[in-house]
Amino acid sequence: MVMRPRLACGPLQTPRRRLRFACAALLALAAPVGIGCEDREAPDTDDPRLGGLSILAVGDTGKPVKALDALDPGRAVGRALGAEDERDPIEALVLLGDNFYPDGLEKDDLKDRLRENLVGPYCRFIELTPRGAGSLRDACPAAEAVHPIPIFAVLGNHDYGEHESPELQRRVVPDYVRSWRMPKDDVGVRELRGGVSLILLDSTRVARADGDDDDDVVRAIRESKGPWRVIAAHHPMLRAGRGYDPRFRERMERILERAGVPIHLYLAGHEHNLQAFPAPGRSPALHLVAGGGSDVRKISDADTSRTFAQGSLGFARLDFDREPKPRLVATLLDVPAPPLPARARAVARFEITPDGAVNVLDAAHGGP
């Protein structure tokens, strides 16, 4: 039985967060999206001037629209993401794969799918290129694109359905959407403000790779600067449902052992629901499944380490705080299915400390 913890509203928007949002808005007016976020050197994490960093993450967003926008689950999640950003601003959005169902992108319908599954639902966070504005502005009026931020994305198994889909997502989508960021290889590391290394992993390619040649992935993880490290991938490492692949788990365990650096959080989609697997003192210290981007799958059997599961639309929020102490607060939020109002509600919240301890905040332990 899955217990459904009832939480109060999320953290209040503090003066520090309001100041951070104001600064981010001024910078956005002066420079293109993502400058200084994707490729810059990580700042000294002991610098007392560093503030927090907040990210939203969601997977399995790409289900084709088959209903009115007001009744589309993906649009509901998009509205909830926007409302969460308005409540307490974020600095990046992470898409956890299966960005375009059922078979990825095709060149012939690329603009239509961008309109349905990226530019329309996430307009608040979108910055279009001149080329994108010429053909997609109807889906994202400039007046609605009020908070352009980097959108970091990984590929899922459905994104590999069409042969051309992976390269279209890696190389052509950025011609239309300037805020889109996707690694061109099996792994890419983005060093974000506040000592956060976001490790974007193509779990489909890693799972299908022949032999044990994982040197590039190991090297990328090992060389991530940290001290906070988050892996974002499509497939869960742990048994979270029918999509579980024990070979991928074994491979990832070998990769992380060889890399030899602590992973605080592993984010995944694939299972169309919300789940949490704390593993305090281990690496990763916490697994979160946040695959409720456009569809819902019922909860099935999982590893006994699972402490929370809910079959609903929803997403994850990550807050890296320095005050009153360094910590990562990871929250799962559910979103009611249309036609109910798209108001996200925190249903599970965890605190991770720099040494990998995991504490449950404002929530009772659930179970499978």
Side-chain angles (χ1 to χ4, degrees):
M1 176 179 179
V2 177
M3 295 181 64
R4 184 167 169 152
R6 302 283 181 173
L7 301 186
C9 293
L12 296 176
Q13 186 166 317
T14 62
R16 174 177 65 83
R17 291 193 184 280
R18 288 196 295 269
L19 178 61
R20 170 158 53 86
F21 182 54
C23 292
L26 290 172
L27 289 172
L29 293 175
V33 163
I35 286 181
C37 180
E38 182 174 358
D39 298 313
R40 73 179 180 188
E41 292 295 310
D44 180 0
T45 55
D46 292 328
D47 188 335
R49 295 172 298 176
L50 289 176
L53 177 76
S54 296
I55 298 171
L56 297 180
V58 61
D60 305 272
T61 57
K63 191 174 181 180
V65 176
K66 296 182 179 180
L68 297 173
D69 285 353
L71 299 178
D72 178 63
R75 294 291 178 126
V77 173
R79 290 192 294 272
L81 289 165
E84 180 65 15
D85 172 61
E86 184 175 8
R87 182 191 68 81
D88 195 352
I90 61 167
E91 292 165 61
L93 173 65
V94 179
L95 300 184
L96 300 169
D98 283 1
N99 308 309
F100 302 97
Y101 278 104
D103 299 311
L105 277 182
E106 295 181 78
K107 188 174 182 180
D108 291 344
D109 65 358
L110 182 143
K111 293 178 186 178
D112 289 340
R113 295 307 304 275
L114 290 181
R115 188 177 283 108
E116 282 189 1
N117 297 121
L118 178 61
V119 175
Y122 311 120
C123 177
R124 180 182 180 88
F125 308 119
I126 293 290
E127 182 182 6
L128 295 172
T129 66
R131 181 179 181 183
S135 55
L136 299 172
R137 182 58 76 190
D138 61 318
C140 183
E144 296 179 15
V146 295
H147 189 195
I149 55 175
I151 299 175
F152 298 110
V154 298
L155 294 166
N157 54 296
H158 282 273
D159 294 311
Y160 277 92
E162 293 290 340
H163 178 74
E164 60 187 338
S165 174
E167 287 307 295
L168 286 174
Q169 293 193 48
R170 293 189 185 106
R171 302 184 186 278
V172 179
V173 172
D175 292 342
Y176 293 86
V177 181
R178 182 173 284 125
S179 40
W180 181 260
R181 307 282 191 273
M182 178 174 282
K184 294 179 172 59
D185 299 307
D186 292 0
V187 64
V189 180
R190 299 294 183 262
E191 302 293 354
L192 307 182
R193 184 172 59 79
V196 179
S197 293
L198 179 64
I199 302 164
L200 302 168
L201 184 75
D202 188 337
S203 58
T204 302
R205 283 178 59 168
V206 171
R208 294 176 180 176
D210 294 328
D212 296 318
D213 186 10
D214 298 312
D215 290 349
D216 290 344
V217 177
V218 170
R219 186 180 305 110
I221 296 174
R222 180 187 296 146
E223 293 178 357
S224 61
K225 298 180 185 226
W228 294 108
R229 294 180 180 87
V230 175
I231 292 179
H234 180 63
H235 296 88
M237 279 179 59
L238 303 183
R239 182 162 59 87
R242 68 187 188 190
Y244 174 63
D245 183 352
R247 294 169 299 177
F248 174 67
R249 176 177 185 166
E250 292 169 3
R251 188 161 203 157
M252 282 304 303
E253 287 175 345
R254 290 198 303 270
I255 287 171
L256 296 181
E257 183 177 5
R258 289 180 59 199
V261 294
I263 305 297
H264 296 87
L265 178 63
Y266 185 101
L267 284 169
H270 198 51
E271 302 296 335
H272 300 183
N273 46 48
L274 307 175
Q275 300 185 51
F277 299 78
R282 301 181 63 186
S283 182
L286 176 66
H287 286 71
L288 289 184
V289 174
S294 63
D295 191 27
V296 177
R297 183 178 298 165
K298 67 179 183 179
I299 301 298
S300 58
D301 292 341
D303 289 352
T304 56
S305 60
R306 184 171 71 188
T307 62
F308 177 82
Q310 181 172 307
S312 67
L313 300 171
F315 54 90
R317 180 184 179 109
L318 313 181
D319 293 296
F320 297 86
D321 293 329
R322 290 184 62 87
E323 300 295 341
K325 60 182 179 180
R327 63 176 189 167
L328 162 57
V329 177
T331 306
L332 289 173
L333 299 100
D334 73 357
V335 177
L340 295 175
R343 296 173 182 168
R345 179 188 61 163
V347 290
R349 184 180 286 123
F350 302 85
E351 175 191 72
I352 309 172
T353 62
D355 62 0
V358 180
N359 303 309
V360 180
L361 302 177
D362 302 323
H365 279 281

